[in-house]
Amino acid sequence: MIQNNISEDLIKWYQMNQRLLPWRTSKDPYTIWLSEIILQQTRIDQGQKYWEKFLNKFPSIENLASAKESEILALWSGLGYYSRARNIHKTSKIIVKKYRNEFPSSSRELAELPGIGPYTAAAISSICFNEVIPALDGNAFRVYSRLFSIDLPIEKNIAINTIKNLALPLISKKQPGDSNQAIMDIGSGICKPKNPKCFVCPLQEYCFARKNGNPESYPVKSKIKKSLIIDNFYIIVKKHDKYAFIQRPDKGIWAGLFTPIEMDKKSWRLALKNKSIDCKSVTTLRHILSHRIMNLHFSKWNARNIPEESKVKWHSQNDLKSLGLPAPIKKILVEKSYI
Ligand code: SF4
C-alpha cells in the first residue's frame, strides 16, 4: 500500500537526515516535554539554551515542582509567553502529586495537563511511549495539506480531522516518534511556507501539491487576520536609587510579571505637558508579536505624587536582571540601559 511506502520512506530519510538536537538522544518524557514547551513560539537555537538552563537548574520533575514560581519566571525571562512558564510549574506539581513523578503515557491523559495541547501530547506520547498518533502543529499541517492537497480551510475542524485521518496510516507502528520527528524536520527545513525545496523532499514522489505545481497554495486559509496595534504608556519613577514597579494581575498578557507604572494615554499625555511633574526623556519601543504590535512608550518622571503608590514595589537597578520582567521591558531597561 502507498501509505506503507510513505511511512517507510519517512523513517529511512529520518535515519539519514534528522536534525541533531540534544533532546533527541533521550526518550525521557521530562526532557522531551521541556523541549516541546520551550520550543513553542521560539527558535531552536534560542530554545536550546533555555532547555539547557532549565535542566541544569531543575534536573528532575521533583526539582521543578518544588521551585518557587518566581525562580521559574526569572529563568524563563526573555522567552516571552509567560503562561508557558506558569503551566510547566503547575504540570510538574500535578505529575509529582497525582502521578508519583511519572508522566502518563497516553496522549489523552497528557492533553489534560496545563499547557499541553493535542500536538505536544502526541509528540510526547509518540516519542517517549510509542503511541501511534500523528503530532500536528503548524509545520505538520502544512506538509500534510500539501502532500494530500487538502482544499479545506485549515482552521476548520473538517480539515483538521481529514488530515488526522490521512496522516495516521503514515505513522510507523514501530517508530511513531521518528515518523513525527521526520515530518517536523521536513516542515521546518524543506517544506517551508515559501519556496519549498521539493527536489530534496522524501515525499516528492507522493506529493499532490508538487505534482500540481502549486505547493504554496496550501494550507488553504479562510481569513487573513490583521495585526492589532496596542499602545502602552509607562513611567519610570526613581526614589533613593530604587525604581517603582507594579506586579501585573494573575491573568492576561504578562500575568504576574513586573512592569513600570502603567498609565492611560490621556493621563500620560497630560503629564508630559505638566511642568510641575517634570516628565522627560521619552522613548518608544515597537514589540511585534504574532497577532499584535505593541508600541511601548516610556518616560522618566520626577513626580512627588506617584500613581498607584500603594501597589508599588521598589527595586534597585541590580535587581532587574533577576526580576520577572516581560522581555521588551527588560530590553529597554536593562539591555538599552534606559534607566
Ligand atoms: S514535495 Fe514539496 S510541497 Fe510536497 S511535502 Fe515535499 S516539500 Fe512539501
Side-chain angles (χ1 to χ4, degrees):
M1 259 166 77
I2 198 155
Q3 286 100 329
N4 291 342
N5 296 347
I6 298 177
S7 180
E8 282 169 21
D9 284 359
L10 275 175
I11 295 292
K12 278 187 212 151
W13 178 86
Y14 182 70
Q15 283 163 351
M16 302 289 291
N17 297 284
Q18 64 177 284
R19 287 176 293 177
L20 299 174
L21 301 170
W23 45 87
R24 286 193 170 168
T25 58
S26 169
K27 291 205 169 217
D28 168 38
Y30 176 60
T31 58
I32 300 296
W33 165 66
L34 273 182
S35 73
E36 288 294 341
I37 302 293
I38 288 171
L39 289 175
Q40 291 166 7
Q41 326 271 353
T42 304
R43 291 191 327 272
I44 286 199
D45 55 340
Q46 188 195 16
Q48 185 173 330
K49 288 182 198 143
Y50 279 83
W51 178 77
E52 284 161 0
K53 279 202 284 185
F54 265 83
L55 279 183
N56 281 337
K57 181 141 187 170
F58 308 115
S60 70
I61 191 99
E62 298 98 303
N63 299 135
L64 188 63
S66 57
K68 286 185 188 153
E69 185 176 277
S70 57
E71 281 180 276
I72 294 172
L73 289 176
L75 204 60
W76 193 270
S77 180
L79 268 179
Y81 300 97
Y82 286 83
S83 56
R84 289 184 290 165
R86 279 197 194 81
N87 281 334
I88 62 169
H89 199 207
K90 285 184 200 156
T91 288
S92 66
K93 289 182 174 180
I94 295 171
I95 303 271
V96 167
K97 272 195 187 161
K98 183 174 171 187
Y99 294 100
R100 298 185 182 174
N101 305 343
E102 302 286 343
F103 274 74
S105 60
S106 73
S107 58
R108 185 185 51 75
E109 283 176 290
L110 285 162
E112 286 170 6
L113 294 165
I116 300 189
Y119 160 76
T120 307
I124 297 169
S125 71
S126 64
I127 294 168
C128 307
F129 303 109
N130 283 335
E131 181 175 339
V132 180
I133 182 171
L136 298 172
D137 66 351
N139 282 343
F141 275 122
R142 184 172 60 254
V143 174
Y144 287 122
S145 68
R146 289 174 174 177
L147 176 62
F148 298 113
S149 84
I150 305 291
D151 283 310
L152 299 162
I154 199 69
E155 308 86 0
K156 304 277 183 199
N157 282 341
I158 186 168
I160 293 168
N161 290 332
T162 302
I163 288 177
K164 269 187 200 164
N165 291 335
L166 289 168
L168 183 59
L170 310 189
I171 304 300
S172 161
K173 295 197 174 39
K174 287 188 188 153
Q175 295 157 267
D178 288 354
S179 298
N180 280 324
Q181 289 177 106
I183 294 290
M184 290 173 200
D185 286 4
I186 292 167
S188 76
I190 296 176
C191 193
K192 292 181 168 258
K194 298 264 177 234
N195 301 318
K197 299 178 200 157
C198 301
F199 53 95
V200 291
C201 179
L203 300 172
Q204 58 182 285
E205 185 188 331
Y206 313 102
C207 179
F208 283 98
R210 185 197 67 78
K211 286 177 191 165
N212 296 335
N214 62 350
E216 288 185 18
S217 306
Y218 300 95
V220 173
K221 290 181 184 159
S222 51
K223 303 175 223 154
I224 298 167
K225 281 190 187 163
K226 278 195 179 169
S227 290
L228 189 67
I229 299 179
I230 295 169
D231 287 271
N232 285 2
F233 299 88
Y234 299 100
I235 53 171
I236 312 282
V237 183
K238 185 178 179 187
K239 191 158 84 180
H240 308 308
D241 290 332
K242 295 209 167 181
Y243 295 90
F245 286 88
I246 285 190
Q247 190 165 25
R248 295 183 63 90
D250 283 343
K251 289 194 175 154
I253 187 167
W254 299 339
L257 298 181
F258 288 87
T259 66
I261 298 168
E262 190 173 348
M263 295 180 88
D264 63 78
K265 184 176 178 179
K266 194 173 166 195
S267 311
W268 198 78
R269 287 214 164 139
L270 281 174
L272 286 183
K273 290 180 190 159
N274 185 338
K275 287 191 178 143
S276 69
I277 288 179
D278 189 16
C279 248
K280 56 190 172 186
S281 185
V282 178
T283 191
T284 296
L285 178 82
R286 177 163 263 227
H287 182 55
I288 299 174
L289 299 165
S290 50
H291 292 306
R292 68 178 105 185
I293 296 170
M294 299 180 80
N295 294 319
L296 306 176
H297 308 276
F298 299 85
S299 69
K300 294 180 183 172
W301 194 357
N302 289 331
R304 288 202 185 117
N305 294 325
I306 300 168
E308 302 196 77
E309 188 160 12
S310 61
K311 296 185 196 163
V312 162
K313 297 204 167 118
W314 296 93
H315 291 280
S316 69
Q317 201 160 3
N318 287 338
D319 294 342
L320 299 188
K321 279 191 181 153
S322 58
L323 190 65
L325 297 171
I329 303 266
K330 190 169 212 165
K331 186 172 180 183
I332 198 121
L333 299 188
V334 181
E335 291 167 32
K336 293 189 180 270
S337 306
Y338 182 63
I339 58 176

